[in-house]
Amino acid sequence: MPRIVPLQLLRCLRVLLDNNGGILSAVEVKRISGLMAKYSKKLVSKCVYVQILKSTKTELLGDFMAVGGWSLVYTWLNDAIRAMNWPLVQEILELLLLSPVDVNRLKINSAPILVKGLCKDGGNEGVRILAKRLVEQWLKIVTENTSMTIQGAAPHIAATTASQVPASVSGAGSASVPDSASSSDSTDSAGAPVTYTITSAANSSNSNSITIKWKPLLDNPDGGDETDSGTQSKDNEVEHLEKGSSATHLLADASLGKKSGLDDSSSAAEVKSGEDVDNKKHKSSKSDKSKRSEKEREKDRKKESSSHRSSSSSHKSSSSSSSSSSKSSSSKSSSSSSSSHRSSSDKYRDKDKARSSSGSSSSSKDRERSSGSSSSSSNKHKSSKSSSSSSSSSSSSSGSSSSKDRKSSSSTSSSSSSSRQDKDKDNKLMPPPAVAASNAAGTSPTASAKESDAQKPRSIPIMSRKASISIEIRRDTEKTATVKTYQSKFRSHGLTEEAPPPPSRKGLKKPTSSAVAASPALMAVPSSLKRPSPPPRDLSTDKKAKIDINNVAGHVERPGAAKLIAPKKIQTLVETNLFSDALAASIEPKKVVKRKRTSATSPTDKDAPLAPLKFYQDTLDESKSEEKSDDSSKENDDARSSSPGKDTDADDDDIPLKRVKEDIEQKVQKAKAAAGGEGGEAGNTSDNAEDLPEEPKKPGPGCGPDGPPGVLTLHRRKGPKKKLTWQSEEKLTQIRYFEVDRSERVNVMKQTFLEMKNMERFSERDALTIARRGFDDTMEPQMEWRPLLEVDNVPDHPNGNLSKQRQVQMDREATTLRALYFSPDMIPDSPAEAELEPHFAHDIPVIPMDDLTGNPDAVNDYSALAWPEPKKYAPSSGVGANISGSDMGFNDNMLTGLGAGPNLMQNPFDPFMGGMPAPTGMPPGPNMMPNQVPNGTPQIWQNQMGPVGGPPGVPPMMNGPGGPGMDMSNMNMNNMPPQNFMGNQFGSPVSPFGSGPPPGFNQYPPMMMNGPGPGPVMGPNGPVMGPNGPMMNGPPNGPMMNGPPNGMGPGLMMGGPRNNNNNNNRNKNNGGGIWRSGGNNFQENSGGNWRSAGSGPNRGGGGGNGNTGVCKQFMRGHCNMGKNCKYVHPQKKRL
Amino acid sequence: MKIKLIDSVVRSFKVAKIFRENTDKINAIDFAPNGEHLISCSEDDQIVIYDCEKGTQSRTVNSKKYGVDLIHFTHANNTAIHSSTKVDDTIRYLSLHDNKYLRYFPGHTKKVISLCISPVEDTFLSGSLDKTLRLWDLRSPNCQGLMHLSGRPIAAYDPEGLIFAAGVNSESIKLYDLRSFDKGPFVTFKLNQEKECDWTGLKFSRDGKTILISTNGSVIRLVDAFHGTPLQTFTGYPNNKGIPIEASFSPDSQFIFSGSTDGRVHIWNADTGNKVSVLNGDHPGPVQCVQFNPKYMMLASACTNMAFWLPTSEEGL
């Protein structure tokens, strides 16, 4: 395509456009939107199209947006922002301001978000200003819709509007109508040339105002506009009621708003929350600066004072009502908004510039204001304006009753005084709007930020709610101003009829303005106090300036005011009564609101007539109270620093508290009653919020670590050292109980704890030894493997002849392979698991413990009978023929074995002899007898001695050496043992020859035979002898061992050889002979021992022999020493 | 060619074979009724089977999951039952042919300390520290009979398989008829209660005339099987660790063999009560298991090592 020429494009579109350059009619809207969508890629096309749309009528523009224009304009805006084409963005924003918008349209795309972003990030100042205005406009629309849905006052509003319409119609037809028409015409003519020559925000704002005013003139015959304005005013009143309500009510409203599901409102809230964060950051930085140095603190205070001034001016704007006011407000708002980002000095410069710029276009009054260039002069103007505005508001709000009060309260009750007051009001109303409007725009962000800060602990939606409410306040004031001006100019009757509603609005707003007015004075006082030298000069200059201003204003305003007062008085007195009665009857809650307002304004009424000096004194009192509050806050800070809490925590706590206090003060200044209450509640909520975070912190530093309980306890101390200790005994102890039946045997071994402990210790030691050194395995085969021999006399074993599993297993093995493992590594750790079988739980037959048949022979009780005593070594069986050679060997063995006997025999006598005096042999004899009797079983002893006779037996024992005949009787008693003894002798020589064993084996049997041999011989007498019984084995062999070496008496020597000879002879002959010879040995040997016991040297020799004898423990079978044993083990000798 | 067991023959036994198959104590051994095989189980969870004819080890399987104790041959070829030392106290029926468990017998809740097989049919008795004595059939995992008693329960079958004896609280022996055990014991022998030890085993002699009582002390008792008359007391072997040392009869019922903690085998004459001999095989540890082959002239003793003894004398001809 060739380059597009704007003029040619316009010629092509001329058919669709009207004379003004806008869309011709509704019919062409679709065609034009289609064309624009298709051919809007070029910048030239976009510019032409935007201008066409801006020239289009509002209704047609709405149709265009509905057809698809809204999306198209959004894409244009998005592209322009990306391209950083700020002039184009500005044009599009102007177009959006002209286009009608509703909530549904705002939801379609994210245009609101883009515009919101431009408020801060716009590359051009003009763009930012337009964006802010656009955001305000859209927020108003959104909030109106939400309020409409929430409130149910629609029928009341309709009724009130209906009543108003006929009154206005009846009152029409006055000379004021042509005046308004002429004024509107003049404004149009003035606006047109400005738009053509200069393209700036001011011009655009002028065009906006012109179009707004033009609409009501055109629509007056229909009456629809009037109804709309009425509804808007009613909504505003309802909103005021909301403001007065408590915080909880606001919360409820917020929740209702959420329920409505407005996406745009939620998105707006998010954006605002972001802004709040930025504001917080700025404030935190400011607080840091103030701490650093005093100079910075002064600067911060100046900024705060400037912000307060701006807020006061914003409230003043509510009273303004003129076309010029809009111009000045727009210009100054831009200057104030820009200055908010710069230093205080820059602010003053910008203000001067703004004034100069506004001066060029503003009326003569604005010029007079600009004459005052100094900051002090500006402050003076503001203070005077605030006082005048408060007085005017008080007069209007009180109505007839208030006017009466004034008359009585004032010193002079003449009409001249009242007329003077009225004149002052009229004069003062004119100047304030310019300054107020400019400041209002500047204060909007700070006001919203402050309110949001106060509400931080609650929730973000509430913050956004509050922010939106603040914006509504300013818009309401502007609209009310417009309405008042319009109606007042057009019809005097209409103004008189609508008098009641305006007073309520003024009452709400002006008290806040008066509070704000006080704040700058309060702020000024502390600064003056801190500076010792400058304060008096500043104060003196302020006072002089104020006095001059008051005088000048009075002189100038008096004549104009007189002219206007008379008609208003007459009209208000007549009609206000009727209207107020109607309002009271229809709406009750409004009454409550009014009462509050009157109470709030009453102190101002009193102050107004008072002298100016008293007014200043009141301000001084307030400043003192603030100082006290500051001191208390400082004390709190000191307490926190001294507290054991962390320093960082203290710092964090201080900042929010300061902010909260500042917010509270601001609220109090704005609205005494409602604001005060809200502030208190905010303080309470803030306190609660502070408590919550502190609670979790408190347990942290002072308490132990969290988590599961452990075995150890950490004792925290100041310093590097830490202490770890075991948990208390209770926590480390676990107790378990075991049930034991009473009949159950416990600790059968009867071992004490120590014994068990030692046993455990020894076994553990042995285990360790084995683990280290390994088994002391000395096992070795002692012979070669031979074919097995069967044992005789073995009964047949059934060998499971009734078993059925045998067959089952055989069948199973026939069908299952054998598990073969060719190496140990291949063997699995466990056999394969068995197949699961159904294990049904059934009642198991119980086997009773007792006989159920009741058979008396079922129990054989041997519990009273003791277990039989264990027997000794058993003699071998079998008897063999005697051989001379074997006799020789046997005799030698017997001599050796029997030799040990006498030693054992002598050992027990030694302790007896040692224990008793041994002067003679006879005394031991009687001692032995009583020992024998108690040691043995009397019955057994008597039985054994029965044949001979008890009494005769005893004497022979005492007279042993002299009774040979009695000896023979003893021999008879021992018949059986001797036979066994002799049998053993004959048995051993036969076995070696029969089996042909080696010589070593030949010795084994003889040793076994000799070992237990003596025992049986003395068996019957064992019990009688008691512990000495076993030792008596020695006597038979005593003389043989002792005879030759000792050289005993000839009697013994004679006995010895005889016995031996007898044994030899009888052995050859028969067993009987052997038995007799054995008896002889016993008798003589025992006698010999008794005799030898008398001699000392013999006894010593016997003891020595005993030490090298056979091991006693081994004989009993208890010896554990094994090879280490010092005594002889007969078995080993056999081996 | 059969040889009679006499004192001289018993004294002539010597170690002919030593097996070091296990690394821990052997806790049970059992001869097959035909005397051709010996099975042993150890605390190292191994089951070893020996060929008595050849004097060699013929097979080894593991049961490391459940542990093995009180192993006994059953009447089928290559099958055995044993108690468990791990997981639970279930008795298990094992096929040595294919190394697979055939059946489990759950019921006991504590260690099984007594296990014996009927010499005639497929039933067996088990006693446990949970103070119950149970009668089982190899063909069913369900318990056939349950007896509650106090103390350590021990039991034994008589050689004809018609009667079983139960030892109660180390002080009485009750005899039951297997065909009518639901009527209670047909005779009860009340004996003098042991003061120093517990009864740990009961055994009938092959001729069915006497009952041998093993303990965890240093004493063994012999009681008449028909009247309960105390007959003999055998002592002289050390048991300073309180282990349940097993005492066994010779197949001709003449001699009683027992292990000890001194590594030797002690032998007594059952009729006279006299101690016949002490065989020293130099076992490195306590000898807990000693059994005589039910058919051949062969003795087996076990500590950690297994020893086979043969006689060196043939005077019994």
Side-chain angles (χ1 to χ4, degrees), chain A residues 687-698:
Chain A
D687 292 340
N688 293 331
E690 289 174 359
D691 293 337
L692 292 174
E694 288 177 359
E695 289 175 359
K697 292 181 180 178
K698 291 179 180 178

Side-chain angles (χ1 to χ4, degrees), chain A residues 513-628:
Chain A
S513 65
S514 64
V516 172
S519 64
L522 294 172
M523 294 301 295
V525 171
S527 64
S528 64
L529 291 173
K530 291 181 179 179
R531 297 178 180 178
S533 59
R537 295 177 181 178
D538 293 342
L539 290 172
S540 63
T541 55
D542 291 342
K543 291 179 180 178
K544 292 178 181 179
K546 289 179 181 179
I547 293 165
D548 294 337
I549 292 165
N550 289 332
N551 294 329
V552 171
H555 293 288
V556 172
E557 292 173 356
R558 287 178 180 178
K563 294 179 180 179
L564 295 173
I565 291 168
K568 289 183 178 180
K569 286 184 177 180
I570 294 165
Q571 293 173 357
T572 55
L573 288 171
V574 172
E575 296 180 359
T576 52
N577 291 332
L578 295 174
F579 194 76
S580 65
D581 292 339
L583 288 174
S586 65
I587 300 168
E588 292 179 357
K590 290 184 178 179
K591 292 180 179 179
V592 174
V593 173
K594 290 180 179 179
R595 292 175 184 175
K596 291 180 180 178
R597 291 167 186 171
T598 54
S599 64
T601 55
S602 62
T604 57
D605 294 341
K606 293 178 181 179
D607 293 341
L610 293 174
L613 294 173
K614 291 181 180 179
F615 179 78
Y616 295 131
Q617 290 176 0
D618 293 336
T619 59
L620 290 171
D621 293 338
E622 290 178 1
S623 66
K624 290 179 180 178
S625 66
E626 285 186 354
E627 290 176 357
K628 291 179 180 178

Side-chain angles (χ1 to χ4, degrees), chain A residues 745 789 803 833 858 862 874, chain B residues 104 122 146 188 190 194 274 297:
Chain A
R745 307 173 71 199
L789 305 175
S803 173
E833 292 289 343
Y862 299 97
Chain B
Y104 299 147
D122 294 321
L146 172 64
T188 299
K190 291 191 176 180
E194 299 290 345
N274 292 324
M297 193 74 68

Side-chain angles (χ1 to χ4, degrees), chain A residues 79-145:
Chain A
D79 295 342
I81 291 169
R82 290 181 182 176
M84 304 289 284
N85 190 343
W86 302 120
L88 179 58
V89 170
Q90 192 166 346
E91 293 291 334
I92 295 170
L93 290 176
E94 291 176 2
L95 172 59
L96 290 171
L97 280 169
L98 293 171
S99 62
V101 178
D102 60 355
V103 174
N104 293 331
R105 186 165 294 170
L106 290 172
K107 293 180 182 178
I108 292 168
N109 55 26
S110 60
I113 295 171
L114 287 176
V115 174
K116 184 70 175 179
L118 290 175
C119 292
K120 291 184 175 179
D121 300 333
N124 191 350
E125 182 176 352
V127 169
R128 286 194 288 271
I129 294 166
L130 287 170
K132 288 180 181 177
R133 291 179 64 187
L134 192 59
V135 168
E136 291 172 1
Q137 181 176 343
W138 287 349
L139 281 173
K140 184 175 180 182
I141 293 166
V142 171
T143 53
E144 284 179 355
N145 287 321

